[in-house]
Amino acid sequence: MTVWQPKTGEQVTNIVLSALAERRKLSVSGHETKAGLGHPVDAKESLSLTNLSGIVDYQPEELVLVVKAGTPLDEIEKTLSEKNQMLAFEPPHLERFYGTEGTGTIGGLVATNLSGPRRVSAGAARDFLLGFAAVSGRGDVFKSGSRVMKNVTGYDLSKLMCGSFGTLAVMTEITLKVLPCPETSSSLSLLCDTIDSAQLALANAFCSDTEPSGGAISRANEGWQAVIRLEGVDVSVRDRMTKLKSTLQSARTSKVLDKQASEAFWENWRDISMISDDAEQVYRLSVTPSDAPKIASSLLKAYDLELGFDWMGGLIWIGGKGAGLGQKVRQTIKDFNGHATLMRGTEGHRRDVGVFQPQAAPLAALARRIKNAFDPEDILNSGKMGTIGRGA
Amino acid sequence: MLLPEPDQTILCRRDEIISALKRFVPAGAVIDDDTTMAAYDSDGLSAYRNQPLVVVLPETTQQVAAVMKWCLDNDVKIVPRGAGTSLSGGAIPLADGVLLGLGKFNQILDIDFSNRTVTAQPGVTNLGITQAVQDEGFYYAPDPSSQIACSIGGNIAENSGGVHCLKYGLTTNNVLGIEMVTMNGEILRLGGKHLDSGHLDVLGVMTGSEGLLGVVTEVTVRILRKPATQRALLVGFDTVQEGGQAVSDVIAAGIIPAGMEMMDNPAINAAEDFVNAGYPREAAALLIIELDGPEAEVDVLINKVSKIVKTSGASSIRISQSEEERNQFWAGRKSAFPAVGRISPDYLCMDGTIPRKALPEMLTRMSAMSQKFGLRVANVFHAGDGNLHPLILFDANADGELHRAEEFGAEILRTCVKLGGVLTGEHGVGVEKRDLMTEMFTEDDLKQQQRLKCAFDPQHLLNPGKVFPVLHRCAELGRLHVHQGKLPHPDIPRF
């Protein structure tokens, strides 16, 4: 396979233009740490952004970071932490999960719109992308957004770019909003008898004025463990923890995790520690939080599963095996409302159950028209989002 | 500011169009007499008026879909309208277009405290959502200053902000789902009570699309628990430079206030004359910094901020000791627009955003422009996120003043872009800033945006004449210009 490794935006344009002229398809990638996510791409050539790397501009007091698309995530996180700032959407590090090396590039992260536990309070990757520059599948250089926090000038193409898996355009430069790190954090861990009672504890925590920034449910030896994170100024975290404990005092046993223990728990949870390397198929279910116990029970009745909840119950991670598991997940999500993504699976699984939840026909048709508006010849990451992302 | 030339053939077909529309909606929902239609001839950009072809007020999503499908099939334009509070002319009618009002969609459909969501019809006011949940201690965070009147559907169209979006985000960060109708009459449901649906983020791009991509018929938003405590600092500065520095210093210290507002001397005095908020009249700049959260946290942060602004050069600092005092701090800021209205027959409210650090530079340049155009300007800013609201004072009855005020406004916005900012932070492009789009975007940028429009509305029937200075036909935009074999072979490392 030919791998193009442009060093400048201009070179990216030339590669796309020459591919377009000969209708050659390109697989657009960074470090390929998340190559297991999405459908296999139909392309004989690869456009790798790894050499388009580096921090273009970082202004801590403006809360703005401008980077080239191939900049490694760990380099960005290191730079930010030196100024006590962070990517507040808590991007997961998926190298263990996918058995790959390195943290991947910022471009890959934005393209997959993956967000960690703090999604529930701070927002998703899509909420922090202020702007970008890109080359469309037409070979046109274009930009959208800006470097300021508040901007409604023109369509918000940043939202489309987030989660488009490189099927619309090749991002060359990315502008992100960054935030100060919280001074400290602490978590309350509660042992509950059932998923229902654990989810209820999370709902009560999030409805209280204790401002949680994470809510997870994990399997415990005898029952389920609900974990709620508080972050902020030290005196405030202590104060809110006291309040949280009294709000949730009906739980069987509870324990407070100090800063170190809390950070360790959430880092693991962010990186999908609830799922082992053995799980053959892994699904990520984004659902209405209060539906989570019903959805989980329904799946657990039929399959032996590894399972964990994030986002106050609104995100369910499921690992398991079995021929019918995919269809069962798809049907369950259809019965409720939400979205299931096949995060890990063989090519066969990905083909048979699809990576993404099927869309209603008019919406799928609209998605095809949008793809067509950016990449009419379907040369960028063709098939990555399944038939739904493919040009008409 | 020109709207597209009305299509005479449509004007001639008016009677036919009216009777067709009456088939889709209940009696009385089609308004075609001049007197009643006059209520719809303008929006918040009230310097401009235009009578619509006809007004339709549907009551159900199916009716909206039927009207839109018929208009597509019959080549009739549509201008959607919520409460008509747009400050950029987003809802200004077209003489040859149907005005589609969503005012009858005024019900709250679902309040779900355990998932912290509210589902409402698009005509419900922004404040109406907060009012529906405030007894239980919740609120909807985005708070545009028109919140008492503006509709949640209009908020989606404009991606509305407000004083508190520094900490809590714009509309786009608080919407979970919508139901919408596309120009071809298809009803789409995007998102729901869950987060991040996967697939292309159509919900994200619909938000802030200014009524050009679809008509929103239902909205699900996230609500938040009201913070336990809110306190504010009122800080005066002798120079705007010091005020601007203080804004940067607070953020650089890792503090994100719930709101951080700035007023310049003319705005301070106009507000003081109007409501007697106790503002320091001699100050060159005044900051209101609000902190919210648990009491212990707010106390700590108030002290920190107080120290920071002192170092930045504050000449006066007051800290609110009660809710009453906090509201008093805000009273002047919240009445800044009517206060300025008192000292001038007319004013234009601009809305650019700049990087925070460029605030002093911007103010210096604005005073020079004020001299140049011979018009006064008063400034209120959402300083925390660099969003400016210069109020240009003029008299529409004085010959040429409206034109001069508009020229002044355009120069301010061009300067915003030059300083690394944007044309609009929260009011939208509409017709007001349409012709300035090329200041910020290249032709290719704008063409790509219009290609997106073509995916939703290839005939350009939905709210045409807004946002884009030049309308390209979709067939022309779709054409690929590939020069086979003529491309330079890229000299790029590969293996």
Side-chain angles (χ1 to χ4, degrees):
Chain A
M1 184 188 253
T2 306
V3 181
W4 300 94
Q5 291 192 302
K7 286 180 175 161
T8 65
E10 198 182 357
Q11 291 179 342
V12 173
T13 309
N14 284 339
I15 292 165
V16 172
L17 277 173
S18 63
L20 184 65
E22 294 160 22
R23 306 292 191 266
R24 288 182 278 114
K25 293 184 188 297
L26 297 169
S27 163
V28 185
S29 65
H31 290 150
E32 303 195 0
T33 53
K34 294 181 278 290
L37 176 56
H39 288 271
V41 173
D42 169 24
K44 292 191 182 65
E45 294 179 30
S46 173
L47 169 49
S48 166
L49 278 302
T50 46
N51 280 349
L52 198 68
S53 172
I55 289 166
V56 178
D57 191 16
Y58 173 35
Q59 299 190 15
E61 70 289 351
E62 296 282 329
L63 306 175
V64 172
L65 173 75
V66 185
V67 291
K68 292 183 190 166
T71 312
L73 177 61
D74 53 354
E75 184 184 329
I76 290 172
E77 292 188 322
K78 188 168 163 284
T79 303
L80 293 176
S81 72
E82 282 163 11
K83 297 285 177 188
N84 208 23
Q85 294 190 333
M86 62 177 182
L87 297 174
F89 56 96
E90 224 175 349
H93 293 200
L94 297 179
E95 53 268 34
R96 193 225 20 113
F97 182 79
Y98 282 120
T100 47
E101 271 180 38
T103 51
T105 63
I106 190 69
L109 179 63
V110 168
T112 49
N113 191 30
L114 289 171
S115 316
R118 208 184 288 107
R119 162 64 180 109
V120 74
S121 62
R126 52 98 85 177
D127 295 297
F128 290 87
L129 182 65
L130 295 175
F132 66 90
V135 180
S136 73
R138 307 171 54 90
D140 292 332
V141 177
F142 71 105
K143 65 172 184 301
S144 176
S146 68
R147 295 183 180 195
V148 294
M149 300 290 122
K150 214 168 165 189
N151 172 23
V152 296
T153 322
Y155 298 132
D156 192 357
L157 300 185
S158 297
K159 297 290 182 293
L160 266 188
M161 222 41 68
C162 261
S164 64
F165 285 78
T167 61
L168 302 180
V170 184
M171 282 182 287
T172 51
E173 193 173 282
I174 288 172
T175 303
L176 295 161
K177 175 183 174 177
V178 299
L179 282 177
C181 295
E183 190 177 298
T184 190
S185 76
S186 174
S187 293
L188 183 66
S189 164
L190 307 163
L191 193 60
C192 305
D193 292 328
T194 61
I195 303 177
D196 289 80
S197 58
Q199 206 283 323
L200 190 64
L202 294 186
N204 287 337
F206 277 82
C207 281
S208 75
D209 59 5
T210 59
E211 299 180 11
S213 67
I217 304 171
S218 70
R219 263 204 172 113
N221 286 335
E222 292 171 52
W224 298 85
Q225 183 189 23
V227 186
I228 299 143
R229 176 173 65 182
L230 304 179
E231 292 178 301
V233 181
D234 185 57
V235 54
S236 163
V237 170
R238 274 187 278 134
D239 198 50
R240 284 182 280 149
M241 183 57 81
T242 311
K243 237 187 218 177
L244 186 63
K245 279 196 275 190
S246 74
T247 306
L248 303 176
Q249 58 188 328
S250 57
R252 241 176 14 188
T253 37
S254 72
K255 137 177 120 177
V256 174
L257 309 181
D258 65 10
K259 184 169 193 269
Q260 203 182 356
S262 175
E263 284 177 358
F265 173 85
W266 289 104
E267 189 176 309
N268 283 326
W269 208 246
R270 177 196 76 187
D271 299 342
I272 321 177
S273 60
M274 70 297 275
I275 304 291
S276 75
D277 292 348
D278 302 334
E280 169 187 78
Q281 300 168 51
V282 179
Y283 296 88
R284 178 184 187 266
L285 281 54
S286 177
V287 300
T288 303
S290 61
D291 287 341
K294 280 173 277 180
I295 291 169
S297 306
S298 152
L299 294 171
L300 282 171
K301 235 178 266 168
Y303 289 90
D304 183 23
L305 299 170
E306 297 178 14
L307 181 120
F309 303 76
D310 201 343
W311 297 359
M312 200 180 99
L315 187 71
I316 314 174
W317 285 98
I318 285 166
K321 54 181 156 213
L325 176 58
Q327 290 314 324
K328 173 75 179 166
V329 168
R330 290 269 172 257
Q331 188 56 45
T332 309
I333 291 295
K334 204 176 162 198
D335 293 345
F336 291 86
N337 189 16
H339 188 99
T341 309
L342 175 58
M343 293 293 289
R344 185 200 288 165
T346 61
E347 284 199 16
H349 290 133
R350 287 191 262 171
R351 190 181 52 239
D352 294 345
V353 294
V355 173
F356 305 97
Q357 192 73 19
Q359 287 184 297
L363 198 49
L366 176 62
R368 272 195 298 276
R369 294 199 300 273
I370 294 173
K371 160 81 171 171
N372 200 42
F374 287 83
D375 179 22
E377 293 296 326
D378 190 25
I379 61 166
L380 302 178
N381 269 358
S382 177
K384 183 82 176 171
M385 296 186 82
T387 52
I388 48 170
R390 189 166 289 172
Chain B
M1 206 175 309
L2 292 173
L3 288 169
E5 238 356 82
D7 180 344
Q8 289 301 324
T9 61
I10 296 290
L11 299 182
C12 294
R13 285 167 56 204
R14 182 166 188 259
D15 291 344
E16 170 216 327
I17 291 166
I18 289 168
S19 54
L21 292 174
K22 282 181 175 167
R23 296 205 305 271
F24 304 122
V25 293
V30 174
I31 297 169
D32 58 358
D33 67 286
D34 287 358
T35 320
T36 321
M37 280 205 303
Y40 298 90
D41 71 1
S42 180
D43 61 10
L45 187 70
S46 54
Y48 293 89
R49 292 178 185 278
N50 203 16
Q51 194 173 57
L53 184 71
V54 55
V55 176
V56 187
L57 305 174
E59 291 172 3
T60 67
T61 303
Q62 281 67 31
Q63 289 168 13
V64 172
V67 167
M68 292 178 75
K69 177 80 171 69
W70 187 89
C71 285
L72 174 73
D73 293 343
N74 291 275
D75 211 22
V76 177
K77 299 175 186 115
I78 288 181
V79 176
R81 180 185 175 101
T85 55
S86 169
L87 291 169
S88 56
I92 284 185
L94 296 172
D96 59 348
V98 173
L99 188 93
L100 184 73
L102 278 300
K104 290 187 176 174
F105 284 77
N106 57 6
Q107 300 298 306
I108 288 189
L109 303 173
D110 176 58
I111 298 174
D112 181 345
F113 289 113
S114 64
N115 293 304
R116 296 178 303 147
T117 64
V118 169
T119 301
Q121 292 188 311
V124 171
T125 62
N126 171 293
L127 191 62
I129 292 180
T130 290
Q131 282 169 341
V133 296
Q134 67 187 8
D135 288 348
E136 300 286 330
F138 288 85
Y139 76 114
Y140 175 59
D143 56 349
S145 58
S146 56
Q147 68 178 155
I148 188 168
C150 66
S151 70
I152 190 68
N155 287 181
I156 303 277
E158 302 293 330
N159 190 14
S160 308
V163 167
H164 290 100
C165 59
L166 175 59
K167 183 169 173 184
Y168 297 104
L170 298 153
T171 302
T172 190
N173 312 111
N174 290 279
V175 182
L176 297 172
I178 57 172
E179 177 191 74
M180 64 176 275
V181 183
T182 49
M183 195 59 220
N184 59 10
E186 283 174 340
I187 300 167
L188 308 178
R189 294 195 73 88
L190 307 169
K193 291 183 182 180
H194 57 284
L195 301 165
D196 305 339
S197 290
H199 297 301
L200 296 180
D201 190 357
V202 179
L203 170 61
V205 83
M206 268 297 291
T207 311
S209 61
E210 305 201 24
L212 270 71
L213 301 184
V215 174
V216 174
T217 48
E218 189 189 295
V219 182
T220 299
V221 296
R222 172 176 84 126
I223 51 169
L224 298 180
R225 176 72 191 223
K226 222 172 161 279
T229 317
Q230 293 169 289
R231 288 178 74 189
L233 297 100
L234 189 71
V235 191
F237 296 89
D238 292 339
T239 66
V240 287
Q241 278 71 16
E242 289 164 326
Q245 189 59 46
V247 173
S248 290
D249 291 346
V250 169
I251 303 272
I255 298 167
I256 308 291
M260 185 145 57
E261 299 286 306
M262 192 194 266
M263 295 164 78
D264 70 357
N265 186 273
I268 295 167
N269 280 292
E272 195 55 23
D273 288 340
F274 189 42
V275 294
N276 249 321
Y279 291 173
R281 282 178 179 278
E282 67 293 347
L286 185 70
L287 274 183
I288 304 174
I289 306 171
E290 181 160 287
L291 296 144
D292 69 6
E295 196 178 342
E297 176 176 328
V298 172
D299 289 347
V300 169
L301 293 179
I302 284 269
N303 282 332
K304 272 194 188 173
V305 170
S306 178
K307 277 188 194 126
I308 292 168
V309 296
K310 222 174 267 171
T311 314
S312 324
S315 55
S316 69
I317 303 177
R318 284 173 61 196
I319 297 169
S320 71
Q321 304 300 331
S322 64
E323 262 306 275
E324 193 190 351
E325 195 172 13
R326 184 181 73 89
N327 288 329
Q328 195 202 352
F329 287 1
W330 279 108
R333 167 62 185 90
K334 287 194 170 162
S335 61
F337 290 13
V340 167
R342 273 175 82 238
I343 60 170
S344 172
D346 300 283
Y347 67 84
L348 270 186
C349 173
M350 307 310 294
D351 168 51
T353 306
I354 52 171
R356 272 181 289 269
K357 64 171 182 217
L359 271 176
E361 167 78 17
M362 186 72 208
L363 282 171
T364 309
R365 293 203 194 186
M366 227 186 282
S367 324
M369 286 181 230
S370 175
Q371 297 279 324
K372 174 178 155 192
F373 289 99
L375 293 171
R376 290 179 296 163
V377 62
N379 270 295
V380 292
F381 311 126
H382 303 305
D385 37 36
N387 187 196
L388 317 171
H389 289 318
L391 303 171
I392 300 169
L393 314 190
F394 71 101
D395 180 357
N397 290 325
D399 209 23
E401 277 209 6
L402 170 62
H403 180 70
R404 248 191 304 146
E406 285 182 338
E407 291 288 302
F408 187 173
E411 190 158 324
I412 290 175
L413 296 183
R414 277 192 286 265
T415 310
C416 286
V417 174
K418 276 190 202 119
L419 293 175
V422 301
L423 296 173
T424 170
E426 55 183 0
H427 294 174
V429 176
V431 293
E432 190 207 12
K433 304 168 201 89
R434 180 192 63 198
D435 298 337
L436 292 170
M437 285 291 270
T438 49
E439 296 287 332
M440 188 170 150
F441 294 113
T442 65
E443 194 177 327
D444 279 348
D445 296 341
L446 290 173
K447 280 189 171 168
Q448 189 52 57
Q449 293 194 32
Q450 290 199 34
R451 283 189 194 101
L452 178 73
K453 162 80 169 171
C454 295
F456 287 80
D457 174 25
Q459 320 290 342
H460 284 309
L461 290 173
L462 198 52
N463 218 6
K466 319 285 170 71
V467 182
F468 298 107
V470 182
L471 279 186
H472 294 284
R473 289 179 45 215
C474 288
E476 177 203 330
L477 285 167
R479 218 169 285 143
L480 267 173
H481 303 280
V482 178
H483 307 288
Q484 200 146 0
K486 284 184 185 165
L487 278 163
H489 274 286
D491 176 26
I492 292 147
R494 59 162 158 177
F495 56 88

